[in-house]
Amino acid sequence: VLRCEAMAQGAGILGLHHLGGEGAGKLGFFMSIDKARFRKPVGPGDQVKFHLKLVQKRPPVWKYWVEAFVDAKKVAEAEIGAMLMG
């Protein structure tokens, strides 16, 4: 659950970043998670790094492909949908 939340938060933040000055005052909302795969467990003390790639942009909806890595090994991946409103 925490990996899903972190991926969704990252997608929302990146969506606002892509908008630049237009993003001022907008809110990011989690919409969907698709094609989720959890490949390895993540434990206390592990540092998880997320790589996000914009795959679809139809404002106000943005979709990102997100991969999570621990020690350069993929531990999770998913397509995250975010809606930017405001």
Side-chain angles (χ1 to χ4, degrees):
V1 171
L2 294 176
R3 280 186 271 176
C4 290
E5 177 67 22
M7 290 189 276
Q9 291 284 336
I13 291 167
L14 193 56
L16 290 172
H17 175 73
H18 277 129
L19 287 175
E22 289 180 52
K26 295 195 181 223
L27 296 174
F29 294 95
F30 172 71
M31 271 188 51
S32 63
I33 184 166
D34 295 307
K35 303 174 191 163
R37 299 270 187 253
F38 299 93
R39 302 192 177 280
K40 295 185 182 204
V42 175
D46 287 341
Q47 182 179 26
V48 183
K49 295 184 181 182
F50 296 96
H51 296 198
L52 292 90
K53 178 182 172 188
L54 179 64
V55 293
Q56 185 179 10
K57 176 177 123 178
R58 288 190 195 155
V61 177
W62 302 62
K63 288 197 175 184
Y64 291 90
W65 182 252
V66 184
E67 296 176 318
F69 296 89
V70 172
D71 297 327
K73 294 179 183 173
K74 190 185 298 184
V75 295
E77 60 190 338
E79 185 178 81
I80 303 289
M83 180 181 289
L84 303 176
M85 302 293 290

